Amino acid sequence: MQSLKATDPSQLGPYRLAGRLGAGGMGVVYLGVSLTADRFAIKVITPGLVGDDEFRERFAAEVEILKTVTGSRVARLERANLDDDPPWLAVMFVPGLSVHRQIEEAGPLETRSGAMLGALIVDGLRSVHEAGLVHRDLKPANIMLGPAGPIVIDFGLARLHERDSHVTATGQPVGTLAYMSPEQARGDRDLTAATDVYALGATLVYALTGHTVYGQASPVALLRRIDDPTDLPDTTGVPAELKSLVDGMLGYEPSTRPSLDEVYRRLVEVATADGVSVEVVRTILAEQTYVEESLELPDWTADPLVDDGDAFTDEEDPTRLVSAPPIREVLEVKTSEQPAPVADVGWLVDEMRTTYARKATL
């Protein structure tokens, strides 16, 4: 965690800011601490972009999405204030590493732990889908490894099924290339839960082997490979117990992929093979993957929390949304995961950089 700069606020809403967790051209992420010492990731738009209507609309849309998803396997929205200066939102802070960083630093998971990881991620995706959403950017960097297991994060690209026709332009791929389904690569608007099943399959390949399904290549080359039904995803190294399942999840046609329920059932079967209990496997997974990074907080004993007045009154919902016209979708293509900063919240910075970008190029 980096120290606050002289130009940074010391408080946003009811949260005292302890430092910077990350920053990019589009926004800043702070570690926020409540009066009762709860910690949250506080995200704001870069001051120079606060006056841009499109950025504010996208920020408001993200808050709306976050309000619809609940569950123990997703990063919840704590509260937000879109009328504050700058607008901000506070989300659940997970002190562990992302799956990407964990595998990068410690190597692939063994079969049983990888299967349990996948089953717990399915629980998170169920919460997303039950809210009528498709995540559209599930990947190792968007799964945090907390003390109780994985937490699905980053809903900047999530969309309600019925809204896809308004916000996504045909022919514009949206997502992260290394984990993008063929229908995403084509820029299809009508994405379904099968898109997230594909991304989970690609994520499991990385967690179990340390490599992606199409390797490193230019964005254009990757798009062509993903959309070529004869160029099969590389699942080399996936344990035999999981290979047929993972291969099915990475099927070219969405209709051929197994449902989340089927994926869940088969992952649990592998995780608990030979009579090993779920509790034991979860304990092993946590021991192998949870790394709590120490974050030293400032001494605030002589600096009482400022009263933010009526920012959160019973009469006024701080998470209410301003009405906005449909937002045009932009081309968002990311070719590789980036190493995360201390406290591993680079996903928020990456989201600010790509989700709110006016344009992106291949």
Side-chain angles (χ1 to χ4, degrees), residues 4 11 141 159 161 209 249 295 331:
L4 295 175
Q11 181 179 332
R159 290 290 182 267
H161 293 303
T209 70
M249 296 169 72
L295 297 173
L331 175 64

Side-chain angles (χ1 to χ4, degrees), residues 86-337:
W88 55 268
L89 64 83
V91 298
M92 174 183 182
F93 174 71
V94 184
L97 305 179
S98 68
V99 170
H100 174 74
R101 186 172 167 193
Q102 170 66 24
I103 302 305
E104 186 179 59
E105 295 184 2
L109 298 176
E110 53 87 20
T111 305
R112 201 182 296 276
S113 294
M116 180 54 65
L117 173 73
L120 294 174
I121 294 170
V122 169
D123 280 336
L125 284 178
R126 280 173 168 167
S127 296
V128 175
H129 296 170
E130 286 170 1
L133 293 161
V134 179
H135 190 285
R136 304 202 308 174
D137 199 22
L138 187 75
K139 58 183 178 180
N142 283 345
I143 302 163
M144 303 299 294
L145 294 165
I151 302 293
V152 177
I153 64 172
D154 190 350
F155 295 92
L157 294 184
R159 290 290 182 267
L160 293 166
H161 293 303
E162 61 270 21
R163 293 189 180 181
D164 280 347
S165 61
H166 298 297
V167 299
T168 306
T170 301
Q172 295 183 342
V174 177
T176 299
L177 278 175
Y179 304 92
M180 182 183 289
S181 67
E183 58 269 28
Q184 283 178 289
R186 292 190 298 269
D188 290 357
R189 294 186 302 180
D190 189 21
L191 301 180
T192 67
T195 293
D196 288 341
V197 170
Y198 184 101
L200 176 56
T203 295
L204 286 175
V205 170
Y206 180 77
L208 291 163
T209 70
H211 68 75
T212 57
V213 294
Y214 283 109
Q216 298 296 319
S218 70
V220 172
L222 277 175
L223 283 169
R224 289 173 178 166
R225 293 193 66 188
I226 295 167
D227 195 33
D228 182 353
T230 66
D231 192 346
L232 300 179
D234 180 9
T235 58
T236 304
V238 173
E241 300 94 323
L242 292 169
K243 194 170 189 310
S244 64
L245 172 62
V246 171
D247 284 341
M249 296 169 72
L250 294 171
Y252 183 83
E253 295 293 341
S255 61
T256 66
R257 298 170 202 155
S259 67
L260 271 186
D261 287 344
E262 176 64 12
V263 171
Y264 184 78
R265 182 185 67 79
R266 294 175 65 181
L267 287 173
V268 172
E269 284 180 356
V270 172
T272 59
D274 302 320
V276 179
S277 71
V278 170
E279 290 78 11
V280 168
V281 182
R282 286 190 56 170
T283 298
I284 293 172
L285 177 64
E287 290 175 347
Q288 292 177 343
T289 62
Y290 177 56
V291 179
E292 182 175 8
E293 298 185 79
S294 177
L295 297 173
E296 184 176 349
L297 300 181
D299 181 6
W300 286 312
T301 54
D303 182 21
L305 188 66
V306 177
D307 182 2
D308 63 342
D310 61 356
F312 300 97
T313 65
D314 291 337
E315 293 77 20
E316 185 176 26
D317 178 7
T319 60
R320 71 192 185 285
L321 301 174
V322 295
S323 60
I327 305 169
R328 66 183 183 278
E329 193 62 61
V330 297
L331 175 64
E332 302 177 66
V333 176
K334 296 166 279 183
T335 60
S336 62
E337 310 293 353

Side-chain angles (χ1 to χ4, degrees), residues 34-51:
S34 73
L35 190 60
T36 52
D38 287 322
R39 302 180 184 187
F40 301 93
I42 314 295
K43 178 173 154 184
V44 302
I45 302 173
T46 296
L49 298 174
V50 169

